[in-house]
Amino acid sequence: RKEVEQDPGPFNVPEGATVAFNCTYSNSASQSFFWYRQDCRKEPKLLMSVYSSGNEDGRFTAQLNRASQYISLLIRDSKLSDSATYLCVVNPNNDMRFGAGTRLTVKP
Amino acid sequence: DGGITQSPKYLFRKEGQNVTLSCEQNLNHDAMYWYRQDPGQGLRLIYYSQIVNDFQKGDIAEGYSVSREKKESFPLTVTSAQKNPTAFYLCASSTARRYTEAFFGQGTRLTVV
């Protein structure tokens, strides 16, 4: 079983839509979690950290469910500029494990 | 400016040659990482280091080697033993504290012909 698994995608949504991505992880001892965004042929950049109580940053909401070992990312009111690949990251042993990524395309 | 620098951005090598990718950071980070990304795929961990003079294998270490002689530097050598080395290589660093994120260099695209 992979350390981190994500929805395979791709997701193609119209502008203004709400879209959710899920990610599961295998190491129950994992303590820190992140969502990164990667644009085509660029390096990944931090979108947001994921806290135990859930956290929100504008249109983006991240949730953590330790019991079921998954994290989620919700994007509300999608913009064209949200088109990218979203990577979830789990850090069980300071070894930063990435999921395969979910590609999102927001269309006019 | 603080950051992570990978060089070169593009690299072409002949099959069977070893090649070393550079990664330097001036963020005073303890931990550094090397990832490989193939088209349409996620990042796979090659090696990581949490402290100078120490490093651990990731999921796909075969055919690669690293060194960590200085805190700022974590070079990756792609050896001739790596069967399919053409890929996008990303270096990252972090403070190694539990809840802190990793920062990435701009990557090196290696093409072996």
Side-chain angles (χ1 to χ4, degrees):
Chain A
R1 183 183 172 187
K2 290 183 181 177
E3 292 250 13
V4 184
E5 300 209 52
Q6 283 188 249
D7 286 344
F11 285 67
N12 298 303
V13 303
E15 267 187 295
T18 296
V19 60
F21 305 136
N22 290 322
C23 174
T24 58
Y25 60 94
S26 60
N27 189 332
S28 59
S30 299
Q31 294 292 321
S32 53
F33 310 89
F34 309 93
W35 283 100
Y36 277 70
R37 170 193 169 126
Q38 185 177 26
D39 293 296
C40 191
R41 300 178 72 81
K42 298 284 191 180
E43 75 275 20
K45 293 187 178 177
L46 180 70
L47 178 66
M48 58 196 305
S49 301
V50 185
Y51 302 122
S52 296
S53 54
N55 47 302
E56 188 173 303
D57 182 2
R59 297 181 293 108
F60 299 85
T61 300
Q63 295 280 351
L64 167 64
N65 184 319
R66 287 190 185 274
S68 301
Q69 293 181 214
Y70 79 80
I71 63 174
S72 64
L73 176 68
L74 183 76
I75 305 176
R76 290 181 299 277
D77 188 23
S78 299
K79 311 291 185 192
L80 296 177
S81 57
D82 293 334
S83 296
T85 296
Y86 291 84
L87 301 153
C88 71
V89 183
V90 178
N91 194 15
N93 301 299
N94 263 341
D95 54 353
M96 290 287 185
R97 301 292 180 150
F98 281 73
T102 302
R103 183 166 183 80
L104 171 66
T105 301
V106 181
K107 301 187 178 231
Chain B
D1 284 356
I4 303 174
T5 302
Q6 288 187 245
S7 61
K9 191 170 182 180
Y10 299 95
L11 189 56
F12 295 87
R13 278 294 181 269
K14 291 183 179 179
E15 196 172 341
Q17 289 183 332
N18 289 0
V19 60
T20 297
L21 280 57
S22 169
C23 179
E24 305 277 332
Q25 54 98 1
N26 60 4
L27 299 167
N28 199 33
H29 285 170
D30 287 307
M32 297 187 75
Y33 314 83
W34 273 107
Y35 296 90
R36 169 182 172 139
Q37 188 173 36
D38 293 286
Q41 305 293 316
L43 278 66
R44 291 186 290 167
L45 184 64
I46 305 173
Y47 270 98
Y48 64 105
S49 167
Q50 297 185 12
I51 197 168
V52 174
N53 291 323
D54 188 39
F55 48 82
Q56 289 78 39
K57 292 182 180 180
D59 296 325
I60 56 165
E62 186 174 350
Y64 300 97
S65 66
V66 293
S67 63
R68 186 86 189 276
E69 297 176 3
K70 298 187 299 180
K71 188 175 186 177
E72 303 79 19
S73 179
F74 191 40
L76 173 75
T77 297
V78 184
T79 75
S80 56
Q82 170 49 235
K83 298 302 179 192
N84 186 17
T86 295
F88 186 39
Y89 290 88
L90 286 156
C91 178
S93 71
S94 75
T95 63
R97 288 197 296 273
R98 186 168 281 177
Y99 301 104
T100 57
E101 71 271 25
F103 297 85
F104 282 85
Q106 291 188 316
T108 293
R109 292 194 182 277
L110 173 64
T111 302
V112 175
V113 295

